[in-house]
Amino acid sequence: MTGFFFGKSPTTLENPKLSVICINKNHGRFLKDTILSVFAQTYDDFELIVSDGGSTDGSLDILRAHPSIRLL
């Protein structure tokens, strides 16, 4: 494998931490399935970041019920 490693050796890139980013605005009816889908993955070194654009449909309540989610 060739390329830039930004100070990391290729061995440390075998299992990198991943950031899953979800964008939401008034899609609360889909959020539960989305969250469950992300958390059901077998890869466990990740963070879920949700950027909400000012939802008014209860999306924020759903997101705040999961403290491990980073809400922007």
Side-chain angles (χ1 to χ4, degrees):
M1 178 186 233
T2 61
F4 295 101
F5 295 108
F6 300 102
K8 294 184 177 184
S9 69
T11 56
T12 61
L13 293 177
E14 290 176 13
N15 293 310
K17 182 171 185 175
L18 299 177
S19 295
V20 178
I21 301 170
C22 177
I23 298 169
N24 179 68
K25 182 171 182 186
N26 292 328
H27 283 92
R29 64 182 180 208
F30 304 112
L31 273 178
K32 185 176 180 181
D33 288 340
T34 300
I35 292 166
L36 292 175
S37 175
V38 171
F39 288 139
Q41 302 303 308
T42 58
Y43 193 86
D44 61 357
D45 194 11
F46 68 90
E47 64 179 341
L48 175 56
I49 302 168
V50 178
S51 176
D52 187 84
S55 292
T56 58
D57 68 342
S59 291
L60 295 176
D61 294 330
I62 295 168
L63 294 168
R64 289 184 181 127
H66 299 277
S68 61
I69 295 174
R70 261 182 69 197
L71 176 59
L72 303 177

